[in-house]
Amino acid sequence: MMQFSEIPPLHQIPPFSIPTMNKNHIHRARPWPGFPTSKGLGSFGDANCMEQLLVHCANAIESNDATLAQQILWVLNNIAPPDGDSNQRLTCAFLRALIVRAAKSGTCKMLAAMANAHCNLSIDIHTFSVIELASFVDLTPWHRFGFTAANAAILEAVEGYSVIHIVDLSLTHCMQIPTLIDAIASRLEGPPLVKLTVAGGATEDVPPMLDLSYEELGSKLINFARSRNVVLEFRAIPSTYADGFSSLIEQLRVQHLVYAESGEALVINCHMMLHYLPEETLSPFSNVNSNPYSFEPSSTQSLRTMFLKALRGLDPTVVVLVDEDADFTSNNLVCRLRAAFNYLWIPYDTVDTFLPQGSRQRQWYEADICWKIENVIAHEGLQRVERLEPKSRWVQRMRNAGFRGVSFGEEAISEVKTMLDEHAAGWGLKKEEDDLVLTWKGHNVVFATAWLPA
C-alpha cells in the first residue's frame, strides 16, 4: 500500500476539481507532471487505502489544514470517479460529504470557497409515486426482509383477535401493509377489522420521499383492503421523530383504556424509523418520572428510552423492531466515518447485482445512500438524524423498557428464506438467539426483533 507520505507536495498538485453527482459526468484521472498517471494511481484503489485517505482528509479538514486536505482531495478525486466500481462510488460519496462539511462548517475556508465556487453539491432525491416505491422496495431484501419477518410475528401474535390496531412507524410509507392485509385476509377465522395509525409527516425530510399525502395514501390502502374483503380504518396523526413521537404517544394513551377494554390487539410496527429519535450523544434527557408517558426532560435519558417506556405503558400485544445493524452515534467524526464506510459499502456492492449502471432506479437508489452519507458526515446536532445503533444496543433498550424478546417461528424463517431465494446469491439469513439477521456476504445488514411486555 502506498504511504500517505508519498502524496506529492502541494506545488506538484494541479488545480483541484470537485466531484459532482451529475450522471452525465464521465470522470477520467488525468496525468499531471510529478504525479503518477491513472495507471499509477491503481495501487490507491484498494478499499482499505481509500478509507485511510478519507480518514486523513477528515482529520485535515477538522484541523483546518487546507493544504493537506487539498492534496488528499485531489488524490481521492482521481481514484474515486462517480461512475466507477462500487468502492469508488462509495468513496466518491464520502469525498463529496467531506466537502459539504467543509463548506457548511466554515473550517478549512479555502475548501469552503472552492466548494461554493466550483459546483452544486446538492443531491437529486427522487420523489416516488406509490407504484414506483412499491416496485423499488421489492428490488432488494433490504426492506423486504423486515416486512416478511415482521408480518409473520404479527400474524402469530394477533391470532384470534377480531380487531387489530396497527401503529405503523415505517420509513417506507406503509409499503409493508398490503402484504400484511393479504395475509390477514386469508385467516381461517375470517378477516378482522384493521385499524391503521401512522405518524403523518414523520419523515418528510428523509428519503425515500412519496409524492402524495398520507390522507391520499390512506384512501389507497382502504380501497386495497376492501378488494381483499378487509375493513380498514386509517388515521394519520401529525407527529415527528424529533420530539419522540410525543403527540402520537399521547393520542394512543388517551385511547388506551378504550381498546384495552374492547379486546383490541395493539401492534407497534417499527421499521427503520426509531434510529431517527434523538439519543444520548445528542443531548441528555431525564429519567422519566413515575409517569411512563412523561416527555419532560430533566437528566439522563434519551427520547429513545422515553419513547420505549411510553410504549410499554400502552401494554401492546406485540412490538416489532426492524433496523439496520450499524453504529453511527459517535460524536467523533473519524469514528463515524469508519463505521459508515464499513457498513455502507454493502448497498453499493449489492446494487450491482440487481440494477444496471445508468438506470434511473440505480440513480434513485444511490442518491438515497449519498443522502445518508452526507447526513452522517457533514451534519451535527439536531440536523444529524442518521443515528443508527447496533442490534445489541436496541435489545438492551427494549429489555430496560420492560419488554422480553420472543423468537421467530420456523414458519417465519421459512418465509424469509423463500423471499431471499428471489434475490442474489450473496444474501443470507442467520438466527441470533431470538432475533433474525439479514446478511450480505456474511456481514450483518438488517436485524428483526419481536417483543412482548415482560
Side-chain angles (χ1 to χ4, degrees):
M1 183 184 293
M2 295 183 77
Q3 297 302 306
F4 192 66
S5 57
E6 292 178 50
I7 293 174
L10 186 63
H11 70 270
Q12 293 178 5
I13 298 284
F16 176 66
S17 75
I18 292 175
T20 71
M21 296 305 296
N22 183 346
K23 60 181 180 293
N24 298 317
H25 171 62
I26 304 298
H27 180 105
R28 295 286 176 267
R30 300 169 300 275
W32 293 95
F35 200 84
T37 63
S38 56
K39 205 171 195 177
L41 282 167
S43 54
F44 273 119
D46 163 76
N48 291 333
C49 185
M50 288 182 174
E51 181 187 354
Q52 285 304 109
L53 285 167
L54 287 167
V55 165
H56 285 306
C57 188
N59 280 326
I61 288 172
E62 291 303 278
S63 60
N64 209 17
D65 188 340
T67 300
L68 179 58
Q70 186 182 4
Q71 288 182 321
I72 306 165
L73 285 167
W74 185 83
V75 174
L76 285 166
N77 194 39
N78 275 274
I79 64 174
D83 57 345
D85 65 25
S86 58
N87 281 331
Q88 290 172 321
R89 301 197 309 278
L90 170 71
T91 302
C92 181
F94 275 88
L95 169 57
R96 186 196 153 282
L98 285 170
I99 296 167
V100 172
R101 183 180 180 90
K104 266 180 64 72
S105 64
T107 59
C108 241
K109 287 187 168 55
M110 183 172 81
L111 290 179
M114 285 160 47
N116 292 331
H118 283 76
C119 75
N120 173 16
L121 291 168
S122 63
I123 302 168
D124 185 17
I125 298 292
H126 180 68
T127 301
F128 290 90
S129 70
V130 169
I131 300 298
E132 282 176 342
L133 184 56
S135 61
F136 186 73
V137 162
D138 279 348
L139 286 171
T140 164
W142 204 279
H143 292 293
R144 288 189 76 199
F145 161 76
F147 294 175
T148 307
N151 285 353
I154 290 167
L155 285 169
E156 189 174 329
V158 302
E159 197 172 330
Y161 284 89
S162 58
V163 182
I164 302 170
H165 183 186
I166 302 163
V167 180
D168 189 42
L169 297 174
S170 168
L171 185 64
T172 57
H173 309 285
C174 299
M175 288 299 112
Q176 177 181 338
I177 300 303
T179 55
L180 183 55
I181 288 171
D182 263 338
I184 284 172
S186 57
R187 284 199 329 179
L188 288 176
E189 64 265 43
L193 166 65
V194 178
K195 299 178 179 179
L196 178 61
T197 299
V198 301
T203 55
E204 280 177 345
D205 51 351
V206 176
M209 312 287 194
L210 196 61
D211 72 350
L212 76 172
S213 70
Y214 266 89
E215 286 68 27
E216 293 168 308
L217 179 62
S219 295
K220 288 181 182 295
L221 287 168
I222 287 167
N223 290 334
F224 175 82
R226 188 179 296 130
S227 75
R228 300 298 191 270
N229 295 317
V230 173
V231 177
L232 176 70
E233 296 176 1
F234 180 88
R235 185 167 70 125
I237 297 173
S239 195
T240 176
Y241 57 78
D243 65 355
F245 299 114
S246 58
S247 53
L248 173 70
I249 288 287
E250 179 58 25
Q251 292 244 13
L252 293 172
R253 184 184 69 79
V254 168
Q255 294 177 22
H256 176 55
L257 293 174
V258 177
Y259 62 64
E261 287 176 9
S262 65
E264 286 184 14
L266 175 62
V267 173
I268 312 291
N269 185 59
C270 305
H271 182 88
M272 299 192 187
M273 180 76 90
L274 296 197
H275 72 260
Y276 293 104
L277 296 174
E279 40 72 53
E280 289 81 357
T281 64
L282 181 60
S283 61
F285 283 94
S286 71
N287 275 321
V288 180
N289 317 325
S290 55
N291 179 357
Y293 312 106
S294 167
F295 276 72
E296 290 298 312
S298 56
S299 97
T300 57
Q301 285 192 334
S302 71
L303 283 178
R304 294 188 184 184
T305 300
M306 297 159 75
F307 172 79
L308 294 178
K309 288 194 171 181
L311 281 191
R312 176 62 185 86
L314 298 173
D315 200 30
T317 310
V318 67
V319 177
V320 182
L321 171 56
V322 173
D323 218 319
E324 296 164 322
D325 198 4
D327 187 356
F328 294 174
T329 58
S330 175
N331 279 330
N332 179 281
L333 173 63
V334 167
C335 289
R336 221 160 58 234
L337 186 152
R338 286 191 186 281
F341 190 88
N342 285 288
Y343 178 72
L344 292 172
W345 69 271
I346 297 172
Y348 277 99
D349 196 44
T350 63
V351 74
D352 292 335
T353 67
F354 64 88
L355 289 175
Q357 191 170 354
S359 72
R360 282 188 314 150
Q361 286 183 317
R362 176 136 153 189
Q363 290 160 22
W364 302 342
Y365 181 89
E366 294 197 355
D368 282 8
I369 311 168
C370 283
W371 184 93
K372 191 184 282 267
I373 290 169
E374 180 183 312
N375 191 267
V376 171
I377 300 302
H379 298 274
E380 295 295 349
L382 290 167
Q383 286 185 309
R384 178 158 64 80
V385 298
E386 282 290 343
R387 293 171 176 265
L388 290 173
E389 286 190 303
K391 177 172 78 76
S392 57
R393 212 176 296 163
W394 281 111
V395 166
Q396 198 54 55
R397 283 189 187 281
M398 292 298 287
R399 287 175 180 159
N400 291 347
F403 291 96
R404 64 178 177 86
V406 289
S407 282
F408 290 88
E410 286 306 315
E411 196 171 329
I413 293 169
S414 174
E415 285 179 25
V416 171
K417 285 178 176 174
T418 301
M419 180 273 297
L420 291 181
D421 286 342
E422 299 170 21
H423 297 280
W427 293 105
L429 173 69
K430 66 180 179 184
K431 202 165 189 297
E432 291 183 351
E433 297 179 347
D434 292 331
D435 316 319
L436 298 183
V437 180
L438 175 71
T439 63
W440 172 253
K441 296 180 179 176
H443 298 269
N444 286 17
V445 181
V446 177
F447 65 85
T449 61
W451 303 88
L452 302 179

